[in-house]
Amino acid sequence: MKLNSIQMLRALAALLVVYTHSITQMSLFAPSWQQRTPASIAMGTFGVDIFFVISGFIIYYTAERLNGAPASFSFLWHRFRRINPAYYAVAMITMITWIPSLLRHQRPPITGRQIISWIILLPFPGDPARVLFQAWTLSFEWLFYLLFFLLIFFRTRRKALLLFSSLSGIALLGWLLRDKLTGVMLFYTDPLLLEFGMGVIIGFFWKRWTPRKTTAFCLLLPGILLGLTFIVTGYGDFIAVPSPPAPLRYLHALSWGSAAALIVAGCVFLEKTSTKASFIRHPLVVLLGDASYSIYLVHMLVFGLIAAFYLRVGRLFIHPDVAIPVNALIAIAGSLLFYKWLERPLLRWLAPPRPSPPPSSQPLSAPPPSSQPPSSPPLSSQPPSAPPPPTPSRSPKP
């Protein structure tokens, strides 16, 4: 079952990320009022936090009952199918745009080590730069997926408790060894993993509890107020600080992650109480939610093309503060084309074949049975990770 509230939140998170990157790009060409506010970075940061919480919720919601080796590998395949092919397609397109600069030796040649790191998405010692800047969130998505894979493989019964405990233990280990950990180990003990755990806890209660409408609002409203406060002030925004110290990352994960979790919990519980909100079922909202992973992946590529255009003409045609939303709309439009022409066909092509209906045993004179195969809910929704899941997008991707 697809939750409209989750699709709405995916769309919101993707738009926040796109708008932040539009502000960042415009700062390369002309000063604008928007880039002087903390929100210029904090909007995208909070969008990623929402993506991570959504991924934790969706993965638990869709895969909590899976157990055993076959189910665990099926889970991995579904996550790979949802996350990696679209990512590989955008990475290939990005590398094609590098060809002129590579031929003019304006860019270092691509090494085999780089290609391996781009394929596996998980960092390793001496990890080179990513082909897609925003793919760092997909690394967190895949780390979370692998932890969930282990729970399914070993037939763990209390997945929510064990997973949240594991993520908390990893974050605690990172805190205790914060002065000794370097390089890739900082990633594998990052407190941002706690945000996935928050999504898992929401999924645990969503399956077992139906609150009253007022209770759901009491979750949603504080989350919105906290989120707006963090966006406006930039308090605890680890992305705004180069090489942030460990305490700031933990403060961010606990505060911003809690705000994102309250928003996600309030929205999904409101939908569960059958609260009518027609705007979350609006076709545009549904489309942006479905395409959120493509938006997350492709928008930076479109911004690169816009930047090349600005460099070629040598000037801006409109005021920078007006160009920011215009560029964001162009990036979203390009991402929707990618979703329609590449991501959605890829998903259909890699989807497992649906079972055919059994042959009818009715007499020839009887009306023919419906030729429509029985529908079954998908194993997992998209992540902005993204993210993703991520997926989750993305759900989380990132």
Side-chain angles (χ1 to χ4, degrees), residues 335-359:
S335 302
L336 292 177
L337 293 177
F338 177 89
Y339 169 72
K340 179 181 178 180
W341 292 340
L342 275 174
E343 184 193 357
R344 198 163 58 176
L346 275 174
L347 288 175
R348 284 199 298 261
W349 179 57
L350 294 171
R354 303 181 71 177
S356 301

Side-chain angles (χ1 to χ4, degrees), residues 115-265:
I115 294 175
I116 293 174
S117 73
W118 298 342
I119 291 174
I120 66 174
L121 275 173
L122 288 172
F124 52 85
D127 191 35
R130 296 177 177 86
V131 63
L132 301 180
F133 164 77
Q134 65 273 31
W136 68 271
T137 62
L138 303 183
S139 299
F140 283 100
E141 295 276 353
W142 264 111
L143 179 56
F144 174 66
Y145 298 158
L146 291 175
L147 291 174
F148 210 96
F149 160 80
L150 294 176
L151 297 183
I152 299 173
F153 184 88
F154 290 108
R155 299 179 177 273
T156 305
R157 296 181 59 187
R158 299 181 178 179
K159 290 185 177 65
L161 176 62
L162 186 56
L163 187 58
F164 187 79
S165 301
S166 300
L167 294 173
S168 300
I170 290 172
L172 179 60
L173 179 65
W175 173 262
L176 295 176
L177 302 178
R178 62 188 181 277
D179 296 327
K180 301 178 182 179
L181 296 177
T182 58
V184 71
M185 290 308 299
L186 291 173
F187 164 79
Y188 287 101
T189 58
D190 199 295
L192 291 180
L193 292 169
L194 290 171
E195 297 180 348
F196 292 94
M198 295 175 187
V200 169
I201 296 302
I202 296 171
F204 175 85
F205 282 103
W206 194 92
K207 286 195 168 191
R208 294 162 176 82
W209 177 50
T210 302
R212 293 182 297 178
K213 196 176 300 185
T214 53
T215 304
F217 274 114
C218 287
L219 293 171
L220 177 61
L221 294 180
I224 293 175
L225 292 176
L226 281 174
L228 290 175
T229 300
F230 293 144
I231 288 174
V232 171
T233 64
Y235 173 77
D237 185 359
F238 75 96
I239 294 181
V241 181
S243 301
L248 182 61
R249 292 186 75 90
Y250 282 83
L251 172 65
H252 179 96
L254 293 174
S255 57
W256 293 54
S258 296
L262 288 171
I263 291 175
V264 174

Side-chain angles (χ1 to χ4, degrees), residues 17-133:
V17 172
V18 171
Y19 201 84
T20 286
H21 288 163
S22 184
I23 296 174
T24 303
Q25 184 212 39
M26 186 52 56
S27 66
L28 302 175
F29 299 97
S32 65
W33 173 83
Q34 295 177 68
Q35 73 190 56
R36 295 194 295 268
T37 65
S40 63
I41 298 177
M43 283 189 297
T45 308
F46 195 58
V48 171
D49 296 321
I50 293 175
F51 271 132
F52 284 172
V53 175
I54 289 175
S55 291
F57 172 81
I58 286 294
I59 295 304
Y60 182 84
Y61 168 73
T62 58
E64 181 259 340
R65 294 186 179 276
L66 299 180
N67 283 298
S72 64
F73 287 105
S74 176
F75 168 78
L76 275 190
W77 163 246
H78 278 78
R79 299 323 303 160
F80 178 90
R81 179 175 67 88
R82 185 65 193 91
I83 297 295
N84 289 49
Y87 160 76
Y88 293 151
V90 179
M92 288 289 293
I93 297 172
T94 301
M95 285 188 284
I96 290 173
T97 65
W98 292 353
I99 291 177
S101 59
L102 288 170
L103 293 177
R104 292 193 295 265
H105 303 287
Q106 296 173 339
R107 181 186 296 271
I110 300 173
T111 65
R113 187 180 181 86
Q114 285 178 307
I115 294 175
I116 293 174
S117 73
W118 298 342
I119 291 174
I120 66 174
L121 275 173
L122 288 172
F124 52 85
D127 191 35
R130 296 177 177 86
V131 63
L132 301 180
F133 164 77

Side-chain angles (χ1 to χ4, degrees), residues 320-331:
D321 282 305
V322 179
I324 288 171
V326 171
N327 292 350
L329 289 174
I330 295 173

